[in-house]
Amino acid sequence: IQRNILLQDMAAYTRVLAPGGLLFISGFPPSDAAKLIDHAGTLGLQHLASHELNDWCAISFKLS
């Protein structure tokens, strides 16, 4: 998934999460992780963990 699509759609994902809900995103290069984590923080998502494997990344968040 392209970083720009995740950035564009993250607000919609957040709107349907209950407080304390979890969001998992994956399938992007690790170089995109910092920008995605920063944007998620502006939406009230807390970064829980990041994982990398074979030049791909996955990140988990929790809605505050």
Side-chain angles (χ1 to χ4, degrees), residues 24-28 30 33 47-53 55-60:
F24 299 89
I25 59 174
S26 65
F28 50 87
H47 175 230
L48 297 177
S50 298
H51 301 281
E52 294 180 28
L53 180 65
D55 297 322
W56 293 103
C57 190
I59 304 174
S60 58

Side-chain angles (χ1 to χ4, degrees), residues 1-7 10 25-40 50 52 55-59 61:
I1 301 173
Q2 285 188 324
R3 175 190 68 209
N4 292 336
I5 292 171
L6 290 168
L7 290 170
M10 201 176 290
I25 59 174
S26 65
F28 50 87
S31 59
D32 291 342
K35 189 162 190 163
L36 291 163
I37 291 167
D38 288 345
H39 183 64
S50 298
E52 294 180 28
D55 297 322
W56 293 103
C57 190
I59 304 174
F61 301 98

Side-chain angles (χ1 to χ4, degrees), residues 7-25:
L7 290 170
Q8 175 184 322
D9 293 346
M10 201 176 290
Y13 304 151
T14 303
R15 282 193 297 273
V16 298
L17 283 176
L22 301 175
L23 173 65
F24 299 89
I25 59 174

